[in-house]
Amino acid sequence: MLLSANHALALSWQDFSTVSNQKPDAVGTYNNGCLFGGAGLPETGEGFQVIRTSRNRFYGHPNLINFIQSLAIATKAKGLDDLLIADMSMPRGGNFKSGHASHQTGLDVDIWLRSFEQKLSIKQRETVEKLDVVNKKQFKVKTASWNPDHVTLIKEAAKSEQVARIFVSPVIKQQLCDMEFTDDAWLNKVRPWWGHTYHIHVRLSCPKENSHCKNQKQVADTDGCNELAWWRNQFTKPAKKLIKKPVKKKAKIKAKVKPEQCQALLVNK
Ligand SMILES: [Zn+2]
């Protein structure tokens, strides 16, 4: 029916509260894609708790669900408290209405740099406060909130073969670079990026069998520790005086075109 077809076109990704029934398929890029056959992460499990479930962003490719559950078991075995799992993807992936541009294919997860020994109530999980571990101006981690568990978490995650990248604040990367590790090959995957001062963002590689999933370029074969000077400069240089610039006409931002396959997910609510 024409009417319902038109209606379907107006739907957007956050309108869907259920996953699609197809077999798991991550389609497109992390910043422009969608997810067939996603699965929800249970709200709590061994070594983890999902926070802010009202956002409905706790879905992912089964690889991501398995990765999070195994990581939480591994970190618990190393004595860590429950990991707080924040944004993953929406049931069918796609663009978030607010926040970050990625997390679209069910292969990204934000894990907070804060953990809890006890299981929190739903209300507590909804309102838990962020714990910033970074002092940007000093380009140092905050001794009051940074602890060795954070290193264990990042290292454990980065060592997984499924993990392509982990985004952290450059200050956190510096902290890791300043430490001595017997094996530090995993450090290559830990990438400095803006934000990420209270959470890390773990990104899995495309599942091999998902032929429409586009990986990013593989990370370089170096630890990247000597690339932090630029970041340090950005964070510590004095703020520039505001000079009034002539107002330029804004260039039109071209809307990204979603991979064709994704359209099938925006119907059959
Ligand atoms: Zn993220």
Side-chain angles (χ1 to χ4, degrees), residues 187-203:
L187 201 49
N188 302 4
K189 293 185 192 170
V190 182
R191 313 300 298 168
W193 201 243
W194 303 102
H196 300 88
T197 57
Y198 63 91
H199 74 276
I200 62 168
H201 174 143
V202 183
R203 171 166 292 169

Side-chain angles (χ1 to χ4, degrees), residues 137-187:
K137 276 272 159 262
Q138 290 180 6
F139 209 71
K140 277 192 177 127
V141 292
K142 292 180 182 168
T143 43
S145 47
W146 176 258
N147 70 60
D149 287 352
H150 297 137
V151 181
T152 307
L153 166 65
I154 296 168
K155 187 174 168 183
E156 224 24 70
K159 279 165 83 174
S160 164
E161 271 185 22
Q162 292 191 75
V163 170
R165 279 175 167 75
I166 299 180
F167 299 101
V168 299
S169 163
V171 177
I172 295 176
K173 174 88 186 192
Q174 183 69 64
Q175 173 71 19
L176 297 172
C177 287
D178 291 344
M179 294 175 72
E180 298 266 332
F181 297 100
T182 42
D183 61 322
D184 62 358
W186 56 272
L187 201 49

